[in-house]
């Protein structure tokens, strides 16, 4: 059952309610009986597979000279080298 968030337009009280999709939305605040509005929250969905920007347009994996992928790689961070050269 989905969780819906509401906020009172009068007192600012926020609350969440477990409701079925077919249930009527809440219209009154639990505390002051003022008018409420439904809140929208970001959804945590990850799309995988073909047809999505992340999978279709990412850079290909780098391979060693013999065609094998390296077992691990260290990030190439040059910011610490730049900081050392500027302080010297």
């Amino acid at each position: 059952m989905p969780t819906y968030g509401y906020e009172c337009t009068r007192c600012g009280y926020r609350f969440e309610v477990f409701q079925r999709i077919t249930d009527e939305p809440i219209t009154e605040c639990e505390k002051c009986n003022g008018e409420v509005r439904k809140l929208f929250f970001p959804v945590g969905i990850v799309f995988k597979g073909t047809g999505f920007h992340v999978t279709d347009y990412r850079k290909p994996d780098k391979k060693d000279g013999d065609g094998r992928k390296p077992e691990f790689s260290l990030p190439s961070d040059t910011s610490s080298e730049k900081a050392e050269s500027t302080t010297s």
Side-chain angles (χ1 to χ4, degrees), residues 4-43:
Y4 294 98
Y6 293 92
E7 180 179 39
C8 179
T9 58
R10 186 188 303 169
C11 69
Y13 175 66
R14 288 186 169 195
F15 58 98
E16 294 180 347
V17 179
F18 293 107
Q19 290 181 299
R20 291 188 172 141
I21 295 173
T22 57
D23 290 346
E24 291 293 320
I26 306 289
T27 57
E28 290 186 352
C29 177
E30 297 174 345
K31 290 196 172 194
C32 71
N33 295 330
E35 185 179 341
V36 297
R37 65 184 182 103
K38 191 180 276 191
L39 300 174
F40 293 96
F41 301 106
V43 181

